[in-house]
Amino acid sequence: MSERGGGRSTDRFERKREAILDAATLILNREGVKGLTLGVAAAGVGLSTTSVTYYFKRKDDLAAACLMRGIAWLNAAADEALKAPTPPERLHLLLSLHLERLRKAATGEGPAMPSLADIRALNNPWRGEVTEAFMKLFRKVRSLFDAPDMAWLGRGRRTARTHMLLEQLFWAGAWLPKYDPEDYPRIRDRMFDILVGGFATEGAEWAPAPAPLAELAAHDGSESGRETFLLAATRLINARGYKGASVDKISAALNVTKGSFYHHHDAKDDLVVACFDRTFEVMRRVQRLAMAQAGDQWTKLSSAAAALCEYQLSEFGPLLRTSALSALPEAMRDEQVAHSNRVSDRFASMISDGIAEGSIRPIDPAIAAQMLNATLNACAELGFWVPGVTQKAAPSVFARPLLMGVFTR
């Protein structure tokens, strides 16, 4: 009797714990680690804050548990995908599992997947533990490329492609809500087609035009001080997350006073918005430059992608990572997502024109544009994943695999 009673008690504990994690994950995805509190999570499941502390002592315990549960699911999905015999079949299975998980979350059939963008916002030791778990997941997904006919792909380029693939999984959660969940299988097939076949038609060459990076930098002579401040802030936010990029640290990096910060921005959220505005202005300048060049749409699109990859690793970069979106209040976040969508829509127009003229193969322009946007944003972290990669090599290492096929030599 006691064993059965103990079993029922354990089951009840686990059900309640999972319910708390389900509610907390929704808050985490909507408001980031900054907005996740034990009290808000408790309200989501009709408990008191004291009751939640029986399961999670601190806010970071709860946030880390949400993130670790998501990583554990991705690990299991990767294990299943790796049972397939070839890299393309493994990729297809991984996409299938992930989009089915997102479909169930969208229809209420299953819990939401946590956004892993806010790991940096955790305090230690939780940040270290979650980061270590993510790195193990990353290495597992990288083994997707393990096959005799992929032996030509060196470790650095394999790592870069893994970073790009994972970014597609993570960013899909941001744009998939535009579609009906019953269309997710079709979207999976189109994503797979783009990843394997690329954008280019058969026989196309990779020969992007060089870009004048200094002219693309989002500043003029009268605002050089503000640009310097925004660049320093962008680098700190990308490296340490919203929480880790304090006003003190930004000011110290520039050897200026706090007063200088408040001269430019009323609050830290305003600073993040300004960094995003800078990012999208650079992307628009690159698009305008590419569209004004001579040549077909394939040349223009590949030139724009190459320029942005170079920019990310140049003295003028990087651009702000979309992971910073989770720290913004909802109204500000929605406005920045709208900016991002306008950049994607312009890429979609270029892709559509390229399909019409025959320089880009028939692919879904809207989905391809979102995938390209995600890749170019993720290039900001290429130097972390592939130490020593040069500015000039970045387009070939990171943009070309998406544009010409992730398994293409």
Side-chain angles (χ1 to χ4, degrees):
M1 176 70 77
S2 62
E3 289 183 4
R4 288 196 298 271
R8 287 197 296 271
S9 177
T10 300
D11 289 345
R12 192 160 52 245
F13 177 91
E14 286 301 322
R15 283 197 302 273
K16 188 70 71 175
R17 185 179 186 275
E18 290 298 304
I20 294 170
L21 288 174
D22 290 349
T25 297
L26 293 173
I27 299 164
L28 183 71
N29 289 351
R30 188 173 63 246
E31 302 180 31
V33 170
K34 184 182 74 166
L36 175 62
T37 66
L38 295 180
V40 173
V45 288
L47 293 174
S48 67
T49 303
T50 303
S51 297
V52 171
T53 60
Y54 180 62
Y55 301 88
F56 303 99
K57 297 294 185 187
R58 299 175 182 83
K59 164 185 167 173
D60 273 11
D61 289 328
L62 178 56
C66 291
L67 295 169
M68 290 293 274
R69 188 172 70 156
I71 291 172
W73 184 88
L74 286 166
N75 257 307
D79 283 334
E80 189 65 25
L82 288 170
K83 294 177 183 177
T86 67
E89 289 172 293
R90 294 168 193 164
L91 175 59
H92 190 273
L93 185 50
L94 183 60
L95 280 174
S96 297
L97 293 168
H98 188 66
L99 265 71
E100 175 61 11
R101 173 67 188 266
L102 295 180
R103 187 198 66 78
K104 287 183 175 179
T107 58
E109 299 172 58
M113 274 293 291
S115 167
L116 302 182
D118 227 14
I119 292 176
R120 293 184 183 93
L122 293 170
N123 294 310
N124 277 321
W126 299 273
R127 186 197 311 151
E129 292 170 1
V130 176
T131 298
E132 182 180 358
F134 179 79
M135 295 302 290
K136 289 180 180 177
L137 166 67
F138 187 95
R139 290 191 289 270
K140 184 174 291 185
V141 175
R142 187 171 58 193
S143 64
L144 177 150
F145 292 98
D146 290 350
D149 60 351
M150 296 295 294
W152 55 269
L153 190 61
R155 181 183 178 85
R157 289 178 181 266
R158 189 173 302 203
T159 296
R161 293 175 194 218
T162 303
H163 175 42
M164 187 269 285
L165 289 178
L166 283 172
E167 193 67 22
Q168 302 308 328
L169 299 185
F170 301 151
W171 186 242
W175 56 264
L176 273 172
K178 294 167 51 177
Y179 297 88
D180 193 295
E182 69 183 40
D183 289 329
Y184 284 17
R186 178 181 62 83
I187 292 167
R188 171 210 60 205
D189 290 342
R190 295 188 174 194
M191 290 179 69
F192 177 75
D193 175 60
I194 291 165
L195 287 168
V196 174
F199 294 42
T201 56
E202 187 174 354
E205 294 185 359
W206 176 256
L213 300 186
E215 295 178 21
L216 298 171
H219 70 87
D220 56 41
S222 64
E223 291 197 334
S224 58
R226 184 173 185 273
E227 165 65 10
T228 300
F229 199 94
L230 292 179
L231 179 55
T234 296
R235 288 172 176 169
L236 271 172
I237 294 169
N238 281 358
R240 303 183 187 180
Y242 177 92
K243 186 176 177 181
S246 66
V247 175
D248 285 333
K249 289 175 181 174
I250 296 168
S251 299
L254 293 172
N255 195 27
V256 298
T257 64
K258 272 189 178 183
S260 299
F261 168 86
Y262 291 112
H263 172 71
H264 290 299
H265 305 285
D266 294 330
K268 193 170 172 182
D269 288 343
D270 295 325
L271 174 62
V272 176
V273 168
C275 289
F276 271 122
D277 287 344
R278 168 186 175 270
T279 290
F280 295 132
E281 177 55 28
V282 170
M283 297 187 78
R284 285 190 290 267
R285 290 183 185 195
V286 170
Q287 289 176 325
R288 287 195 292 266
L289 176 66
M291 292 169 73
Q293 291 174 345
D296 57 26
Q297 292 296 326
W298 161 249
T299 301
K300 294 178 180 182
L301 190 72
S302 58
S303 295
L308 283 166
C309 278
E310 279 201 49
Y311 191 97
Q312 292 278 36
L313 272 68
S314 74
E315 63 184 295
F316 310 106
L319 302 175
L320 190 62
R321 290 284 277 124
T322 51
S323 56
L325 283 170
S326 63
L328 289 174
E330 191 168 0
M332 287 183 170
R333 181 168 65 248
D334 290 346
E335 183 180 352
Q336 298 310 314
V337 170
H339 279 302
S340 177
N341 285 336
R342 284 195 286 273
V343 171
S344 289
D345 288 346
R346 182 173 283 176
F347 279 136
S349 295
M350 296 171 71
I351 294 166
S352 182
D353 290 346
I355 293 170
E357 73 181 11
S359 66
I360 293 177
R361 72 188 190 88
I363 53 178
D364 189 305
I367 294 174
Q370 289 286 357
M371 294 173 71
L372 177 59
N373 209 11
T375 298
L376 298 176
N377 187 263
C379 191
E381 295 183 343
L382 184 59
F384 169 81
W385 291 108
V386 187
V389 64
T390 66
Q391 171 188 324
K392 290 295 183 184
S396 177
V397 169
F398 204 61
R400 182 175 178 173
L402 175 70
L403 293 173
M404 303 196 77
V406 72
F407 299 117
T408 300
R409 185 163 186 168

